[in-house]
């Protein structure tokens, strides 16, 4: 009986998922990309991603850093060593960001529909 | 490239660094001078009200820091306080030029306060960028140290005929920029100085250096020139900073710039490492890189004496 139930559920969901994939502006597989903070530098300093992708910053330094959008659309807490911060970029555009503790540290995320 | 070549390369590229003194592993060094002879012309006016006194600068305690460069920053602050208490003459008061804590946590401020209250004398603080990374930036700092200050925590006060100005240059920093005083603070500074005689000795203290030490690492204040313009009519100006965790000095006209050691961990000399991150020292050497700065005013108008003392020789 459980088998029948699952099959039924899958059947009922399938048209909906198909429609969502066709209508949604998000790519079928939103990617997870990472930026490493090392030696007071964002690596890579510039990153091009697709709408819906999630960027995760990891602090590899022995000193805290932050990740703050110049337009204030995203802002991390202070990241101590090995702390992470993730943000999903939904809207296309160019997002300049910096470390508010060490403002000479700057980076850029370009969100572009492939 | 060797360490030395990197350092020399950095210096030759930047003439501004030429007249700086580098603190290597020197234990104690004294700077007498740096105040030009023009002070003697103005001296008579202030002599009567100036008594010999000293104050002491602490900086960059980074309470809460526990990384390999110094696993116990609270412990080394405690050692610094113990050394100060063993001085034959106790300073009249203290200034702390910021980065009291590492992450602006209440527990870190509590630990710092617990150790520093042993000094039993007034402490005048300015914040470092590490002291204002709480959820509402600067709220925790101002709740503790903001009494009697304006704006983000700037203030002035007079002691023994010397005018002291504590500036805040770690707030509202812009992407790609340096330290920042801001329009409101500069307007306040102009107003604060307006009534003073040019013979009044001035001491300015702030966290980030008020001269451009090394912009590649953010070691400078973008609008400091406007502050120095307001100070240029004074015969004796001493500018005390922290932030760079090493002793560095520069004299420009009547202005002496001086940075103090950290009590927590050293940072590399400009351009000698890939980044300004905490510098690991050879085993047993950490305390020769940490310390405090004592400043003495002597009756008779002798130049301000600046003495940097390391925690260990």
């Amino acid at each position: 009986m459980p088998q029948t139930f699952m099959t039924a559920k899958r059947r009922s969901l399938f048209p909906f998922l198909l429609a969502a994939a066709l209508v949604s502006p998000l790519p079928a597989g939103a990617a997870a990309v990472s930026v490493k903070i090392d030696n007071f530098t964002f690596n890579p300093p510039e990153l091009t991603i697709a709408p819906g992708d999630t960027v995760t910053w990891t602090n590899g330094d022995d000193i805290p850093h932050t990740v703050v959008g110049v337009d204030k659309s995203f802002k991390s807490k202070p990241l101590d060593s090995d702390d992470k911060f993730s943000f999903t970029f939904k809207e296309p555009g160019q997002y300049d960001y910096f470390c508010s503790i060490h403002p000479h540290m700057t980076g850029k995320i370009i969100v572009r529909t492939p | 490239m060797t360490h030395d070549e990197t350092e020399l390369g950095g210096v030759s590229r930047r003439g501004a660094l030429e007249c700086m003194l580098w603190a290597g592993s020197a234990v104690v060094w004294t700077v007498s001078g740096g105040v030009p002879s023009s002070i003697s012309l103005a001296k008579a006016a202030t002599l009567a009200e100036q008594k010999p006194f000293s104050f002491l600068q602490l900086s960059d305690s980074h309470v809460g820091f526990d990384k390999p460069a110094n696993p116990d920053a609270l412990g080394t602050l405690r050692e610094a306080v113990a050394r100060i208490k063993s001085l034959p003459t106790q300073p009249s008061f203290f200034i702390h030029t910021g980065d009291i804590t590492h992450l602006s946590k209440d527990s870190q401020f509590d630990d710092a306060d617990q150790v520093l209250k042993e000094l039993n004398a007034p402490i005048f603080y300015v914040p470092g960028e590490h002291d204002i990374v709480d959820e509402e930036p600067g709220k925790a700092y101002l709740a503790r140290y903001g009494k009697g200050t304006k704006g983000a925590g700037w203030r002035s006060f007079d002691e023994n005929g010397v005018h002291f100005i504590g500036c805040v240059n770690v707030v509202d920093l812009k992407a790609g920029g340096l330290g920042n005083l801001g329009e409101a603070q500069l307007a306040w500074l102009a107003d604060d100085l307006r009534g003073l005689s040019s013979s009044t000795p001035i001491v300015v203290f702030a966290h980030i250096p008020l001269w451009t030490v090394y912009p590649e690492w953010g070691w400078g204040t973008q609008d400091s020139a406007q502050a120095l313009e307001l100070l240029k009519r004074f015969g004796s100006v001493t500018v005390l900073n922290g932030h760079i965790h090493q002793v560095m000095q520069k004299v420009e006209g009547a202005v002496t710039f001086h940075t103090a050691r950290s009590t927590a961990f050293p940072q590399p000399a400009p351009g000698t490492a890939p980044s300004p991150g905490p510098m690991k020292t050879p085993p047993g050497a950490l305390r020769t890189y940490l310390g405090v700065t004592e400043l003495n005013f002597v009756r008779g108008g002798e130049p301000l004496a600046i003495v940097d003392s390391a925690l260990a020789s």
Side-chain angles (χ1 to χ4, degrees), chain B residues 138-195:
Chain B
K139 192 180 174 191
Y141 171 87
L142 285 174
R144 283 170 195 262
Y145 312 109
K147 200 180 167 203
T149 71
K150 296 189 165 66
W154 57 80
R155 73 165 97 223
S156 69
F157 58 95
D158 294 281
E159 281 288 339
N160 294 65
V162 178
H163 190 65
F164 288 81
I165 304 164
C167 288
V168 179
N169 57 358
V170 295
V171 173
D172 198 21
L173 305 183
K174 301 288 186 289
L178 303 170
N180 176 49
L181 293 161
E183 288 303 318
Q185 186 170 204
L186 286 165
W188 167 82
L189 180 63
D191 196 47
D192 182 71
L193 295 171
R194 193 162 291 127

Side-chain angles (χ1 to χ4, degrees), chain A residues 39 62 64 80-81 101 103-104, chain B residues 65 67 102 129 174 176 216 275:
Chain A
N39 281 321
D62 274 356
D80 207 349
S81 306
I101 306 176
H104 67 286
Chain B
F65 182 84
K67 301 300 185 291
H102 197 52
E129 70 281 359
K174 301 288 186 289
E216 290 82 346
S275 80

Side-chain angles (χ1 to χ4, degrees), chain B residues 273-311:
Chain B
S275 80
M279 187 169 84
K280 291 182 196 72
T281 51
L286 173 65
R287 283 158 182 78
T288 66
Y289 289 88
L290 308 180
V292 299
T293 302
E294 192 182 359
L295 296 105
N296 297 291
F297 287 88
V298 185
R299 181 187 277 280
E302 290 300 311
L304 173 81
I306 303 175
V307 184
D308 293 295
S309 304
L311 289 189

Side-chain angles (χ1 to χ4, degrees), chain A residues 38-41 61-64 66 68 70 72 75 77-81 96-106, chain B residues 62 65 67-69 102-103 129-130 133 135 137 173-178 215-218 265 274-278 280:
Chain A
D38 271 322
N39 281 321
F40 290 62
T41 311
D61 275 345
D62 274 356
I63 207 84
T66 63
V68 178
V70 170
K72 299 187 167 64
K75 179 182 184 235
K77 288 188 159 72
L79 307 175
D80 207 349
S81 306
D96 292 318
Y97 67 92
F98 70 119
C99 165
S100 60
I101 306 176
H102 311 100
H104 67 286
M105 296 170 57
T106 56
Chain B
H62 283 264
F65 182 84
K67 301 300 185 291
H102 197 52
L103 285 167
E129 70 281 359
H130 287 258
V133 293
E135 196 69 42
L173 305 183
K174 301 288 186 289
L178 303 170
E216 290 82 346
W217 286 356
F265 57 87
S275 80
K280 291 182 196 72

